[in-house]
Amino acid sequence: MIRSRGQSVLYAVLLMPTLILVFALAVDIASLQMQKLRLRYAVDLATVTAATAVDERYYSQTGRLRLDPGLATTTTRDFLLRNLSGMPGIPEPAQVAAAADITIVNEIPAADPYTRAYLDRPAVCARIHVPYRFLLLGWIGLHVVDVTVAANAEIRT
Amino acid sequence: MKPGVTAAKAAVSLGLGLALAASGATDSQGVGGTVTTVSITSVSGYAGHAFVYAQVSDSTFGFPAPTGTGHQSPFYSEWVAQPILSPSCPWVWAVYVFDRATNRQINTPPPDTPPPNFGTTTVLCASPSATPVAEPPQADAAARLDLDLQVTVSPPVASAGSTSIVSAVLSNALTEDLDLFLSMAIESWSVTSWSIDFGDGQMTTLNAPVGTSIRVPHVYQAAGTYDARVVAFISGHAQAAVYDRYGTVHLLRRPFSVEVGNQAVATASTRPSRIYRSPQALVAVVPYIGLSIGAPTTTAFRHIDGLRGALTSLSVQLLIVREGELVVNGVAGGFGHSWLAGWRFDGAPSDAPPGVGTAPGGTHAAGEPLRLQWNAPDRILGGQPRDYVVPVTLFVATRFPDGHVASYAIGSSFSVSVNFAAESG
C-alpha cells in the first residue's frame, strides 16, 4: 500500500500561489474594468455637455449648425474636471483634464481622430489618459498601467 | 351773398370772361366849412385785370398837415397864435411845418426876412387867402389799385385721371397821394374768396382768407380741353385825409369791392392703360437660437438646420425673384420697389411650448420673429435627418414708378433639417 500522507500538503504548497495569483488577477481586472467604466462615463458626459456649444453667430449667418470650437473645448475640459473630481483612483483630476486630448470636428463627414468612429454631424471628440494602480498584482511587480478612454458626442442642445 | 358777387359768379360760370363790371360811389361831406367829395370807382374784369380808383376833392383848397404826430401824413405842424394888431387881422396863426421823417422844419424863412418874423413862412389869418407853405392849392387827391390775376394749369397736358394743379397768383400795383394838403389811400384790402370753375362742370369756392395765391388740385376724368376759370373777390377800404384850417385831420373811410378773374386752358389726354405686374418673391429666414432677434443680417436662407428640441427664432425675410413691373400702353414703364409688410405662418403647430411658439393663422408684422421648435426625430433613424417644410404667406407691398402702391399675398415656404443628435460614442 502506497503511503499518501503529506500529498495534500504538497498540493497546497504548490497550488496556493497559483490560486492566489488567479484571485488577484480576477480582483484587479474587475477593478480596472470598473474604473474604465467610470472614466468612460466621465468623458462621455463631458463631451455630451460640450456638444451644446452651438456657434450661434455662424448659425444666423449661414443657417447651418456647427460647434463653437473655443467654447466647446473649454466646456469639455471644465466638465472633465468636475466629473473626475472625487472619483476614486484619480489623485490629480486637474492634471488629467488639462492633459486631455480634445478635438472639435466641424467639417463633416469625418472620422473621430481617437476612435476612428464615423461622424456625420459636428462633434466633440475627447480622450484622456489616466494611470491605474493595481491592488494585488503589485505582488508580482505589476504596479501601474495607463488607461486611455475616448468618447465623442455630436452636436445637440 | 351780395348781388354783385352773385352776378359775377354767374358770369364766370357762363364763360363771359371778358365782361367788365364797374361800380362807383360818390358822397360829399362838409369839413370845416368846405365841401369834400370822395368818389370810388371799382372796375371788375375777367380777362386778368381790374382796378379801383378813389378820389377826394375839396371845394376850396387844401390846408397843411395836421398837428401832432398821430397821423399818417408825411408832415406835421404846430400852430401858434400871434397878435399883430392889424385892423383887418388882429391876430394870425404862425404855422410851423415839420418833416415827420427828419423832424426838420420845412418852412423856415430866409435870414433877412423883415419883421414881423415869426420863424415861419406860413402865417394865416382867420380867413386865409393864400396857401400855407407856398405850394399851389390842391383841389383833389387820388389813389389807384391795379389788380392782375395770372391763372395756370400744371401740367398743361395731363393724362385723364391724373391730378392737375390749377394755380392763380394775384399781383397788384398801388399808387396813392399822401400829400401835405389832401391824402387819398387804399388800405386794408384782401381777397375774401376765390371761385374756381374747372370747366368740366365742377366748381369750388375757397372762402377762407388764403392770401394772394392758390393752388387747387383737380382730376379731369375724361379726355378733352377745358377752360379753367378763377375769380378773386376782393374788398377793402379807401381812406381820405382832409386837413382843416386848424390842422385837424378828418379821415373819410369808404369801403369797396372788386372782382378780377382770368382763365387758362387745361388739356386732358386719353387715359393710358396701365398694368401692374405683381412681384415674384420667396420667403427666406435668418435663424436665431433663443427668444431674441439679433442684429439684422444681409443674408437669409431657404433651407436651414434645426436644433432638435430647441426653440428657434426666425427672422422672416423677403427674397425677391422678380420685382413688380409697370407696363404703360404695352411698354415697360420700370420696376417697382417691394417690401415685406407682414407674414402669416400657415403650417401645423410646432413643438414649441404653448404660448411661446408662433401659432398658425395669425398675421404678424414684418419685424416679428417666427418662433418654432421641432422635437422629432427623437431616435436615430438610420442616421438620416428629418426634413420639415414650413409654409408661410408673405404680405408684400410694391410701390411702382408712377407712385401707385399695391399689396400682394404671396405663398411660399422654407425647409428645415432636424437631426437626432443625442448619440455619443
Side-chain angles (χ1 to χ4, degrees), chain A residues 60-61, chain B residues 286 288 294-301 317:
Chain A
S60 293
Q61 291 174 343
Chain B
V286 178
Y288 297 90
T297 59
T298 56
T299 306
F301 312 100
Q317 306 286 323

PDB file of all heavy atoms in Angstrom, chain A residues 60-61, chain B residues 286 288 294-301 317:
ATOM      1  N   SER A  60     -26.709  82.011 -37.437  1.00  0.00           N
ATOM      2  CA  SER A  60     -27.505  83.099 -38.007  1.00  0.00           C
ATOM      3  C   SER A  60     -26.960  83.545 -39.362  1.00  0.00           C
ATOM      4  O   SER A  60     -27.705  84.021 -40.206  1.00  0.00           O
ATOM      5  CB  SER A  60     -27.524  84.287 -37.040  1.00  0.00           C
ATOM      6  OG  SER A  60     -28.237  83.949 -35.865  1.00  0.00           O
ATOM      7  N   GLN A  61     -25.668  83.393 -39.540  1.00  0.00           N
ATOM      8  CA  GLN A  61     -25.070  83.864 -40.786  1.00  0.00           C
ATOM      9  C   GLN A  61     -25.185  82.854 -41.917  1.00  0.00           C
ATOM     10  O   GLN A  61     -25.089  83.229 -43.083  1.00  0.00           O
ATOM     11  CB  GLN A  61     -23.594  84.212 -40.551  1.00  0.00           C
ATOM     12  CG  GLN A  61     -23.406  85.450 -39.676  1.00  0.00           C
ATOM     13  CD  GLN A  61     -21.949  85.695 -39.332  1.00  0.00           C
ATOM     14  OE1 GLN A  61     -21.121  84.806 -39.462  1.00  0.00           O
ATOM     15  NE2 GLN A  61     -21.660  86.905 -38.909  1.00  0.00           N
TER      16      GLN A  61
ATOM     17  N   VAL B 286     -33.677  83.989 -41.347  1.00  0.00           N
ATOM     18  CA  VAL B 286     -32.402  84.040 -40.626  1.00  0.00           C
ATOM     19  C   VAL B 286     -32.668  83.447 -39.247  1.00  0.00           C
ATOM     20  O   VAL B 286     -33.489  83.964 -38.505  1.00  0.00           O
ATOM     21  CB  VAL B 286     -31.893  85.485 -40.498  1.00  0.00           C
ATOM     22  CG1 VAL B 286     -30.596  85.519 -39.693  1.00  0.00           C
ATOM     23  CG2 VAL B 286     -31.674  86.096 -41.869  1.00  0.00           C
ATOM     24  N   TYR B 288     -32.168  82.251 -35.333  1.00  0.00           N
ATOM     25  CA  TYR B 288     -31.518  82.641 -34.080  1.00  0.00           C
ATOM     26  C   TYR B 288     -31.915  81.617 -33.036  1.00  0.00           C
ATOM     27  O   TYR B 288     -33.032  81.116 -33.042  1.00  0.00           O
ATOM     28  CB  TYR B 288     -31.973  84.026 -33.624  1.00  0.00           C
ATOM     29  CG  TYR B 288     -31.592  85.111 -34.587  1.00  0.00           C
ATOM     30  CD1 TYR B 288     -32.450  85.469 -35.617  1.00  0.00           C
ATOM     31  CD2 TYR B 288     -30.381  85.773 -34.465  1.00  0.00           C
ATOM     32  CE1 TYR B 288     -32.103  86.464 -36.516  1.00  0.00           C
ATOM     33  CE2 TYR B 288     -30.032  86.758 -35.349  1.00  0.00           C
ATOM     34  CZ  TYR B 288     -30.901  87.103 -36.375  1.00  0.00           C
ATOM     35  OH  TYR B 288     -30.558  88.067 -37.252  1.00  0.00           O
ATOM     36  N   GLY B 294     -31.239  88.963 -33.147  1.00  0.00           N
ATOM     37  CA  GLY B 294     -30.016  89.755 -33.119  1.00  0.00           C
ATOM     38  C   GLY B 294     -30.012  90.833 -34.179  1.00  0.00           C
ATOM     39  O   GLY B 294     -31.043  91.217 -34.713  1.00  0.00           O
ATOM     40  N   ALA B 295     -28.836  91.339 -34.446  1.00  0.00           N
ATOM     41  CA  ALA B 295     -28.701  92.391 -35.444  1.00  0.00           C
ATOM     42  C   ALA B 295     -29.101  91.847 -36.813  1.00  0.00           C
ATOM     43  O   ALA B 295     -28.851  90.684 -37.132  1.00  0.00           O
ATOM     44  CB  ALA B 295     -27.258  92.883 -35.470  1.00  0.00           C
ATOM     45  N   PRO B 296     -29.752  92.665 -37.624  1.00  0.00           N
ATOM     46  CA  PRO B 296     -30.172  92.168 -38.938  1.00  0.00           C
ATOM     47  C   PRO B 296     -28.972  91.815 -39.811  1.00  0.00           C
ATOM     48  O   PRO B 296     -27.941  92.460 -39.769  1.00  0.00           O
ATOM     49  CB  PRO B 296     -30.954  93.352 -39.515  1.00  0.00           C
ATOM     50  CG  PRO B 296     -30.489  94.546 -38.737  1.00  0.00           C
ATOM     51  CD  PRO B 296     -30.120  94.047 -37.392  1.00  0.00           C
ATOM     52  N   THR B 297     -29.132  90.759 -40.557  1.00  0.00           N
ATOM     53  CA  THR B 297     -28.072  90.349 -41.461  1.00  0.00           C
ATOM     54  C   THR B 297     -28.538  90.588 -42.892  1.00  0.00           C
ATOM     55  O   THR B 297     -29.705  90.848 -43.155  1.00  0.00           O
ATOM     56  CB  THR B 297     -27.752  88.859 -41.284  1.00  0.00           C
ATOM     57  OG1 THR B 297     -28.957  88.118 -41.549  1.00  0.00           O
ATOM     58  CG2 THR B 297     -27.295  88.581 -39.872  1.00  0.00           C
ATOM     59  N   THR B 298     -27.613  90.484 -43.790  1.00  0.00           N
ATOM     60  CA  THR B 298     -27.939  90.736 -45.184  1.00  0.00           C
ATOM     61  C   THR B 298     -28.256  89.447 -45.922  1.00  0.00           C
ATOM     62  O   THR B 298     -28.668  89.492 -47.062  1.00  0.00           O
ATOM     63  CB  THR B 298     -26.771  91.436 -45.872  1.00  0.00           C
ATOM     64  OG1 THR B 298     -25.601  90.636 -45.721  1.00  0.00           O
ATOM     65  CG2 THR B 298     -26.534  92.805 -45.244  1.00  0.00           C
ATOM     66  N   THR B 299     -28.033  88.316 -45.285  1.00  0.00           N
ATOM     67  CA  THR B 299     -28.246  87.042 -45.956  1.00  0.00           C
ATOM     68  C   THR B 299     -29.319  86.249 -45.220  1.00  0.00           C
ATOM     69  O   THR B 299     -29.278  86.114 -44.011  1.00  0.00           O
ATOM     70  CB  THR B 299     -26.937  86.227 -45.982  1.00  0.00           C
ATOM     71  OG1 THR B 299     -25.919  87.033 -46.551  1.00  0.00           O
ATOM     72  CG2 THR B 299     -27.115  84.972 -46.811  1.00  0.00           C
ATOM     73  N   ALA B 300     -30.272  85.753 -46.004  1.00  0.00           N
ATOM     74  CA  ALA B 300     -31.310  84.886 -45.441  1.00  0.00           C
ATOM     75  C   ALA B 300     -31.304  83.588 -46.242  1.00  0.00           C
ATOM     76  O   ALA B 300     -30.749  83.511 -47.338  1.00  0.00           O
ATOM     77  CB  ALA B 300     -32.667  85.572 -45.502  1.00  0.00           C
ATOM     78  N   PHE B 301     -31.947  82.559 -45.686  1.00  0.00           N
ATOM     79  CA  PHE B 301     -31.779  81.221 -46.232  1.00  0.00           C
ATOM     80  C   PHE B 301     -33.125  80.555 -46.492  1.00  0.00           C
ATOM     81  O   PHE B 301     -34.089  80.777 -45.769  1.00  0.00           O
ATOM     82  CB  PHE B 301     -30.956  80.374 -45.257  1.00  0.00           C
ATOM     83  CG  PHE B 301     -29.721  81.065 -44.790  1.00  0.00           C
ATOM     84  CD1 PHE B 301     -29.689  81.693 -43.553  1.00  0.00           C
ATOM     85  CD2 PHE B 301     -28.617  81.154 -45.608  1.00  0.00           C
ATOM     86  CE1 PHE B 301     -28.566  82.370 -43.134  1.00  0.00           C
ATOM     87  CE2 PHE B 301     -27.480  81.828 -45.199  1.00  0.00           C
ATOM     88  CZ  PHE B 301     -27.452  82.441 -43.955  1.00  0.00           C
ATOM     89  N   GLN B 317     -37.702  87.017 -43.947  1.00  0.00           N
ATOM     90  CA  GLN B 317     -37.186  87.969 -44.938  1.00  0.00           C
ATOM     91  C   GLN B 317     -37.858  87.730 -46.289  1.00  0.00           C
ATOM     92  O   GLN B 317     -38.359  86.639 -46.571  1.00  0.00           O
ATOM     93  CB  GLN B 317     -35.668  87.805 -45.098  1.00  0.00           C
ATOM     94  CG  GLN B 317     -34.889  87.897 -43.804  1.00  0.00           C
ATOM     95  CD  GLN B 317     -34.799  89.306 -43.291  1.00  0.00           C
ATOM     96  OE1 GLN B 317     -34.670  90.242 -44.062  1.00  0.00           O
ATOM     97  NE2 GLN B 317     -34.899  89.464 -41.973  1.00  0.00           N
TER      98      GLN B 317
END
